[in-house]
Amino acid sequence: MILLGLNIDHCATVRQARYRDAATRGGAVEPDPVTLALLGERAGADGITVHLREDRRHIQERDVWRLREDIATRLNLEMACTPAMTAFALKLKPETVCIVPENRQEISTEGGLDVVGNRKAVRACIDAMNAAGIQTSLFIDPDEAQIELAAKLGAPIVELHTGAYANAYFGQKRAKEFQRLRLGCVRAHELGLTVNAGHGINYVNIAEVRTLPHLHELNIGHSIISRALFTGIEEAVREMRVRMNT
Ligand code: PXP
């Protein structure tokens, strides 16, 4: 069975659109991402994912601490590979961190983390997390060199970036992008890595994405949060889980 990591960032995006200051001070503000996470878990989400960005444009530190306290599944913290975020994660102790690029120079051609170009900093982060019993996932393109270095540096998990495939879905490059993902999954699995994937996965392309080999977990945000506007979060999560696994 493929697991679902529910990314709740865009619930916070909607909140921040109105309550930029109130969200960091507390008080009754809506929509509350923690409430969304708990409902998502009730509907079958296997983990909750948030990206605490350096610019704090959606998720706030307070949200992350409340999630740590309240959720019953696993917390996956997406973060930049910086000393400040590493220190934060070591205090928070999420089950996993997923290192994502935030600055231009950390981004590879397709948009994943450029592990090859940032080898030293990425290794320092993986080492710190391994020592603390926190699993590190690297959000990378399905590129052989990036996957091989992820394994070499001791990351237990890779999350393959499905964005290029999702963007090409109605275009001519779809088959090529899907094949890149397929080969990436196979290579990562051969190297003993746990294989996750995410970005741009929706209720339509999931029919093909779910056929990728060796998939452990998919991190999905935008499509589920969007559908939840019409159906509610529980139905939106249930429907995605069904489509992921049938
Ligand atoms: N995985 C990672 C590493 C992400 O940064 C994001 C959010 O951009 C997602 C998955 C979820 O992407 P989406 O919101 O398009 O489902």
Coordinates of all heavy atoms in Angstrom, one line a residue, residues 7 9-10 51 78 98 100 139 159 197-201 219-223, ligand 1:
N7 N 0.1 17.3 2.9 CA 0.8 18.6 3.0 C -0.2 19.6 3.2 O -1.1 19.9 2.4 CB 1.6 18.8 1.7 CG 2.4 20.1 1.8 OD1 1.9 21.2 2.3 ND2 3.7 20.1 1.4
D9 N 0.3 23.0 3.9 CA 0.9 24.3 3.8 C -0.2 25.3 3.3 O -0.3 26.5 3.8 CB 2.0 24.4 2.8 CG 3.3 23.7 3.3 OD1 3.3 23.4 4.5 OD2 4.2 23.5 2.5
H10 N -1.0 24.9 2.3 CA -1.9 25.8 1.7 C -3.1 26.2 2.5 O -3.8 27.2 2.3 CB -2.3 25.4 0.3 CG -1.1 25.4 -0.6 ND1 -0.3 26.5 -0.8 CD2 -0.6 24.5 -1.4 CE1 0.6 26.3 -1.6 NE2 0.5 25.0 -2.0
H51 N 6.0 22.7 5.4 CA 7.2 23.3 5.0 C 7.3 24.6 5.8 O 6.6 25.6 5.6 CB 7.2 23.6 3.5 CG 8.5 24.2 3.0 ND1 8.7 24.5 1.7 CD2 9.7 24.6 3.6 CE1 9.9 25.0 1.5 NE2 10.5 25.1 2.6
E78 N 9.5 19.8 6.2 CA 10.3 20.2 5.0 C 11.0 21.5 5.4 O 10.4 22.4 6.0 CB 9.3 20.5 3.8 CG 8.7 19.3 3.2 CD 7.8 19.7 2.1 OE1 7.7 20.9 1.7 OE2 7.1 18.8 1.6
C98 N 12.5 16.7 5.5 CA 12.7 16.6 4.1 C 13.5 17.9 3.7 O 12.9 19.0 3.8 CB 11.4 16.5 3.3 SG 11.6 16.4 1.5
V100 N 14.6 20.6 1.3 CA 14.1 21.1 0.0 C 14.9 22.4 -0.3 O 15.4 23.0 0.6 CB 12.6 21.5 0.1 CG1 11.8 20.2 0.4 CG2 12.3 22.5 1.2
F139 N 14.7 15.9 -1.2 CA 13.7 16.2 -2.3 C 14.5 16.5 -3.6 O 15.0 17.6 -3.8 CB 12.8 17.4 -1.9 CG 11.8 17.8 -2.9 CD1 10.9 16.8 -3.5 CD2 11.6 19.1 -3.3 CE1 9.9 17.2 -4.4 CE2 10.6 19.5 -4.3 CZ 9.8 18.5 -4.8
E159 N 12.8 11.8 -1.8 CA 11.5 12.1 -2.4 C 11.7 12.6 -3.8 O 12.3 13.7 -4.0 CB 10.8 13.2 -1.5 CG 9.4 13.6 -2.1 CD 8.6 14.5 -1.3 OE1 8.7 14.5 0.0 OE2 7.8 15.3 -1.8
A197 N 7.6 10.3 -3.3 CA 7.5 11.2 -4.4 C 6.5 12.3 -4.1 O 5.7 12.2 -3.2 CB 7.1 10.5 -5.7
G198 N 6.6 13.4 -4.8 CA 5.6 14.5 -4.5 C 5.9 15.7 -5.4 O 6.9 15.9 -6.0
H199 N 4.9 16.5 -5.4 CA 4.7 17.8 -6.1 C 3.9 17.7 -7.4 O 4.2 17.0 -8.3 CB 6.1 18.5 -6.5 CG 5.9 20.0 -6.7 ND1 6.1 20.9 -5.7 CD2 5.5 20.6 -7.8 CE1 5.9 22.1 -6.2 NE2 5.5 22.0 -7.4
G200 N 2.8 18.4 -7.3 CA 1.9 18.5 -8.5 C 1.0 17.2 -8.7 O 0.4 17.0 -9.8
I201 N 1.0 16.3 -7.7 CA 0.2 15.1 -7.9 C -1.3 15.5 -7.6 O -1.6 16.2 -6.7 CB 0.6 14.0 -6.9 CG1 2.1 13.6 -7.2 CG2 -0.3 12.8 -7.0 CD1 2.7 12.7 -6.2
N219 N 3.7 12.6 -1.1 CA 3.3 13.9 -0.3 C 2.5 14.7 -1.3 O 2.9 15.2 -2.3 CB 4.6 14.6 0.1 CG 5.1 14.0 1.4 OD1 4.4 14.0 2.4 ND2 6.3 13.5 1.4
I220 N 1.2 15.0 -0.8 CA 0.3 15.7 -1.7 C -0.4 16.8 -0.9 O -0.8 16.6 0.2 CB -0.8 14.7 -2.2 CG1 -0.1 13.5 -2.9 CG2 -1.7 15.4 -3.3 CD1 -1.1 12.5 -3.4
G221 N -0.4 18.0 -1.5 CA -1.0 19.1 -0.8 C -2.0 19.9 -1.6 O -3.2 19.7 -1.4
H222 N -1.6 20.6 -2.7 CA -2.5 21.5 -3.4 C -3.8 20.9 -3.8 O -4.9 21.5 -3.6 CB -1.7 22.1 -4.5 CG -2.5 23.2 -5.2 ND1 -3.3 23.0 -6.2 CD2 -2.6 24.6 -4.9 CE1 -3.9 24.1 -6.6 NE2 -3.4 25.1 -5.9
S223 N -3.7 19.7 -4.5 CA -5.0 19.2 -5.0 C -5.9 18.8 -3.9 O -7.1 18.9 -4.1 CB -4.6 18.0 -5.9 OG -4.0 16.9 -5.2
Ligands
PXP1 N1 6.8 17.5 -1.7 C1 7.5 18.6 -1.5 C2 9.0 18.4 -1.1 C3 7.0 19.9 -1.6 O1 7.8 21.0 -1.3 C4 5.6 20.1 -1.9 C5 5.0 21.4 -1.9 O2 5.5 22.1 -2.9 C6 4.9 18.9 -2.1 C7 5.5 17.7 -2.0 C8 3.4 19.0 -2.4 O3 3.2 19.5 -3.6 P1 1.7 19.9 -4.1 O4 1.2 21.0 -3.1 O5 1.8 20.3 -5.5 O6 0.9 18.6 -3.9

